Amino acid sequence: MTPEELTRLRELERAATASPWSTDDHVVRPGDSPGQWHIYESGEDDPPLFSSGLGTKEDAAFIAAARNALPGLLDELERLWKLAEERTRDQ
């Protein structure tokens, strides 16, 4: 990953609806079709951010988990890059 890609991911993350996101085990809502899944901003009491009958509930769980993990992953990547730069500079 390049610094530019990291910057772009950070921009996308900051522009997206804040985490945590969650999924449901297909809470039936008016207008739902079989196999429809939902992703929520905070809980199933809120309207879903996304609903789809495409993909699987595992896809929805991955999307929500990736959204929740991304800020920490980007922070860790930046920390490791800084550490590598310091070690390179000290040699």
Side-chain angles (χ1 to χ4, degrees), residues 25-69:
D25 289 322
H26 188 64
V27 173
V28 178
R29 297 178 178 274
D32 277 3
S33 59
Q36 189 160 5
W37 51 263
H38 308 282
I39 296 177
Y40 299 90
E41 180 177 353
S42 57
E44 293 177 11
D45 294 334
D46 298 321
L49 290 170
F50 305 100
S51 294
S52 178
L54 303 174
T56 65
K57 69 179 180 178
E58 291 80 10
D59 294 334
F62 174 76
I63 292 166
R67 169 63 184 112
N68 296 336

Side-chain angles (χ1 to χ4, degrees), residues 4 20 68 81:
E4 293 78 19
N68 296 336
W81 279 358

Side-chain angles (χ1 to χ4, degrees), residues 2-90:
T2 67
E4 293 78 19
E5 291 169 326
L6 179 92
T7 298
R8 179 67 180 138
L9 278 175
R10 187 68 81 181
E11 290 168 353
L12 289 169
E13 186 275 322
R14 288 181 179 145
T17 301
S19 62
W21 289 8
S22 62
T23 60
D24 61 22
D25 289 322
H26 188 64
V27 173
V28 178
R29 297 178 178 274
D32 277 3
S33 59
Q36 189 160 5
W37 51 263
H38 308 282
I39 296 177
Y40 299 90
E41 180 177 353
S42 57
E44 293 177 11
D45 294 334
D46 298 321
L49 290 170
F50 305 100
S51 294
S52 178
L54 303 174
T56 65
K57 69 179 180 178
E58 291 80 10
D59 294 334
F62 174 76
I63 292 166
R67 169 63 184 112
N68 296 336
L70 187 60
L73 293 170
L74 295 176
D75 290 345
E76 181 65 6
L77 182 57
E78 287 178 338
R79 185 188 75 78
L80 292 171
W81 279 358
K82 287 177 185 173
L83 182 62
E85 286 175 7
E86 290 171 7
R87 288 188 175 177
T88 301
R89 193 174 40 241
D90 291 343

